[in-house]
Amino acid sequence: MEARGIAAASPRARNQLRLVANKQSVGINEGLLNSVKMLQMREMGSKPDRCFSLISDGREKFRNIFLQEEYDTQYPTGLSATMVTLLERQTKVIEIVSAHGVVFALLESGICAAFSRDKNQRICFLNLSRDEVIRTIFYNKYNDSIITVSVFGSENFSSLKCRTTRIQYIQRGQPDAGFLLFESESIKWPSYVEFNDLNAKLLTYSAQDRIYKVFELRNYNILYSISGEDVQDIKMSPGLMLLIYTIAGSHVPLKILSIADGSVVKSFNHLLHRRRKVVILELFNEKLLVKQENENLQILDVRTSELIEVSENEFVTPTGFYFLYESQLLLTFRDRTVAVWNSGGDLVTSYEDHLIWHPDSKSNIICLTNQNLIISYCKVHSNDRQEAQKAGSVNISNILTGKCLAKINAGNTHLLKECECSGRRCNASKAIRATEITSTVQEALENVTALFYDEDRNELYTGSKNGLLHVWSN
């Protein structure tokens, strides 16, 4: 699954993967486009013979899950004065990333804290100066590093700076052992940088030079440049890149390039209805998806030119969607509900008991896994209206069937795992815990603002409105 998205250089912009200098959104109704990272998504398989085992494995993985640890992302007593300015405000967790036993929690204030799951303690903060505001974090699996994208008060928060740091250095408490990327690039408004995990590529756009540059994520070497003259946006798909040019009258000029070397695969014009806003224009493998306001969804096969239309009444414009490239499926979100469509425009399945907490389907509370699971912070069904409004549940469902496999809520979990070792000291003993859990399960499930699932450790991490990071495990 592709990782892609947008965030601004302004300290308040959204947490996404295309990082635009000093603007909250760009392009064609960007809020409705493929806002993927946002979750550190991965390509997912969908072999039919795996469906039963996936359901069984999914239920087992989340059986008897409990609240294991609680970390406070706020500054400790005695912290150096250089960091107090940013840390003194308690803000919500907006992004969580985990790799090699290190959990990163990014706060809305721009502070990013790193915690060790092995040592069960905070390692360090990734902010290297008092005026650094980290906009997003990206785990580069190709070289085991964390990339931070930041803005600085000394530059009026208008220029993006990328820094890469190996996980091993962060494990040692050395966040300053990394180095800056793209120092020769001018990434000021309306320039941007975009990470594409699926293709192992990184894209920068310099508005000053009107040049796009494609870099290799493995070593950050530049591969080629693209003239940005009249280019309105660029979208990436496995092996391909879609260039969207300025709309000309009743059509939009499009060009498809090979992402490997930038060579042109196909150039063509796509007809549009005049004076109708384009809300979706994406390349989904070799299918072009086009949706205008109050118009049918068009699915064009760019190889054969075969065109399929899906009625506006059937495919209402979603508030967000994710591509499942290997399985040729499209996961859509609208009015807190989830649905799956195939590349022919047919509704494959909808989801039972999976009502997303936020109506705009914020991606930081949704996570997709390699095991075809969708994990989301959801509304709960309760006769007590007041309790239902305060706390949600983390629901785990099978993407292909829509079946709810497990839930984490106040009714099926307990605060600490009971010790079953006949009085011997163990990790379940409160006496030797490295951190103190101050929240009840009910409180930990109130105001969840971010979540992340670590498949290697089979641990779920949730972040709260008051800056707490909770670890859930069985």
Side-chain angles (χ1 to χ4, degrees):
M1 174 169 298
E2 178 191 23
R4 183 184 187 277
I6 297 182
S10 162
R12 296 296 180 197
R14 298 173 301 166
N15 160 32
Q16 304 170 355
L17 276 194
R18 175 186 290 179
L19 303 158
V20 184
N22 203 30
K23 192 178 182 183
Q24 294 217 0
S25 60
V26 296
I28 303 175
N29 203 354
E30 192 67 46
L32 300 179
L33 297 186
N34 186 21
S35 49
V36 206
K37 158 176 193 185
M38 299 172 216
L39 308 153
Q40 299 297 345
M41 306 259 187
R42 303 176 177 96
E43 179 74 353
M44 297 189 298
S46 60
K47 297 178 181 178
D49 59 345
R50 295 178 58 207
C51 203
F52 178 79
S53 63
L54 286 173
I55 292 175
S56 177
D57 292 346
R59 286 177 176 155
E60 189 62 32
K61 279 179 178 291
F62 296 94
R63 189 187 304 275
N64 300 322
I65 201 163
F66 67 99
L67 179 56
Q68 187 181 73
E69 297 293 347
E70 177 181 282
Y71 300 126
D72 190 345
T73 61
Q74 305 304 317
Y75 70 93
T77 303
L79 190 73
S80 63
T82 57
M83 295 296 293
V84 171
T85 302
L86 288 173
L87 290 169
E88 61 189 3
R89 292 186 300 112
Q90 194 170 37
T91 58
K92 66 183 179 181
V93 179
I94 60 171
E95 187 175 350
I96 302 171
V97 171
S98 175
H100 298 289
V102 181
V103 185
F104 302 88
L106 177 64
L107 303 184
E108 188 178 39
S109 62
I111 288 296
C112 185
F115 300 87
S116 169
R117 287 295 298 123
D118 296 325
K119 296 180 180 179
N120 199 29
Q121 63 186 19
R122 178 165 50 209
I123 304 172
C124 61
F125 292 100
L126 270 61
N127 306 70
L128 301 184
S129 66
R130 64 179 305 172
D131 69 333
E132 179 181 7
V133 175
I134 297 177
R135 297 312 338 274
T136 195
I137 49 177
F138 176 81
Y139 172 56
N140 186 351
K141 65 185 180 184
Y142 299 101
N143 57 25
D144 279 334
S145 65
I146 284 289
I147 299 176
T148 57
V149 184
S150 305
V151 291
F152 293 83
S154 59
E155 298 178 342
N156 199 28
F157 303 107
S158 63
S159 181
L160 297 172
K161 302 293 184 183
C162 298
R163 184 179 185 86
T164 180
T165 309
R166 291 292 182 96
I167 296 291
Q168 62 185 18
Y169 294 138
I170 295 172
Q171 289 171 327
R172 299 171 190 165
Q174 300 174 317
D176 56 349
F179 58 90
L180 290 174
L181 299 173
F182 321 121
E183 292 186 81
S184 62
E185 302 299 310
S186 175
I187 313 179
K188 296 182 179 180
W189 162 251
S191 306
Y192 65 79
V193 57
E194 176 177 343
F195 302 94
N196 189 273
D197 192 43
L198 182 62
N199 290 294
K201 300 293 185 289
L202 188 148
L203 177 73
T204 64
Y205 172 63
S206 171
Q208 179 180 340
D209 302 325
R210 294 187 180 181
I211 294 292
Y212 294 90
K213 294 182 181 180
V214 177
F215 296 83
E216 176 60 59
L217 262 180
R218 292 177 175 84
N219 51 25
Y220 308 115
N221 289 339
I222 186 170
L223 299 177
Y224 51 87
S225 300
I226 301 171
S227 171
E229 193 69 33
D230 295 327
V231 175
Q232 185 179 4
D233 203 0
I234 289 183
K235 307 294 179 67
M236 299 187 196
S237 189
L240 299 173
M241 191 158 46
L242 175 68
L243 271 60
I244 303 170
Y245 290 85
T246 303
I247 294 176
S250 59
H251 73 273
V252 55
L254 301 171
K255 186 178 292 186
I256 296 176
L257 308 182
S258 166
I259 206 165
D261 57 14
S263 59
V264 177
V265 175
K266 185 173 183 177
S267 296
F268 60 103
N269 296 326
H270 185 80
L271 294 178
L272 298 174
H273 293 274
R274 289 180 179 271
R275 294 182 293 277
R276 293 290 175 88
K277 189 175 183 179
V278 177
V279 293
I280 296 176
L281 183 48
E282 295 281 343
L283 187 63
F284 179 21
N285 287 329
E286 294 180 333
K287 301 294 179 66
L288 181 71
L289 306 184
V290 183
K291 179 80 169 64
Q292 293 181 259
E293 283 185 342
N294 303 317
E295 296 292 339
N296 295 340
L297 170 69
Q298 295 182 325
I299 304 174
L300 175 69
D301 190 311
V302 297
R303 291 182 301 105
T304 65
S305 298
E306 178 186 4
L307 180 65
I308 298 173
E309 291 204 15
V310 183
S311 169
E312 159 74 4
N313 296 326
E314 296 178 31
F315 188 90
V316 183
T317 303
T319 55
F321 57 87
Y322 306 123
F323 290 138
L324 312 182
Y325 287 107
E326 185 177 322
S327 52
Q328 292 280 322
L329 296 175
L330 178 66
L331 192 69
T332 63
F333 301 88
R334 181 178 173 82
D335 297 332
R336 294 193 170 100
T337 61
V338 189
V340 175
W341 305 76
N342 62 25
S343 58
D346 301 314
L347 180 64
V348 176
T349 188
S350 55
Y351 287 73
E352 64 180 20
D353 196 14
H354 204 111
L355 195 65
I356 307 297
W357 182 270
H358 295 290
D360 58 354
S361 305
K362 293 182 178 179
S363 61
N364 46 0
I365 59 166
I366 302 170
C367 184
L368 308 185
T369 80
N370 283 330
Q371 281 74 46
N372 280 325
L373 300 178
I374 176 172
I375 305 173
S376 309
Y377 182 54
C378 295
K379 290 281 187 178
V380 297
H381 299 288
S382 174
N383 294 327
D384 189 331
R385 180 174 297 182
Q386 184 176 1
E387 288 300 317
Q389 291 176 347
K390 287 176 61 179
S393 67
V394 178
N395 290 21
I396 298 97
S397 298
N398 182 277
I399 287 178
L400 304 179
T401 66
K403 296 293 182 183
C404 184
L405 307 181
K407 286 186 182 181
I408 301 172
N409 59 38
N412 71 352
T413 63
H414 47 282
L415 180 58
L416 291 174
K417 187 175 183 181
E418 295 178 0
C419 181
E420 300 174 353
C421 52
S422 304
R424 295 194 306 270
R425 293 165 68 84
C426 70
N427 288 336
S429 171
K430 217 174 183 182
I432 64 168
R433 303 186 68 85
T435 58
E436 179 184 357
I437 296 181
T438 61
S439 306
T440 65
V441 171
Q442 174 80 15
E443 290 168 340
L445 291 173
E446 292 178 4
N447 298 313
V448 171
T449 55
L451 64 82
F452 185 91
Y453 176 61
D454 188 317
E455 297 185 56
D456 295 331
R457 301 180 69 97
N458 190 32
E459 290 185 336
L460 180 73
Y461 311 114
T462 58
S464 70
K465 187 177 181 179
N466 58 1
L468 295 178
L469 180 67
H470 293 105
V471 180
W472 307 80
S473 174
N474 59 1

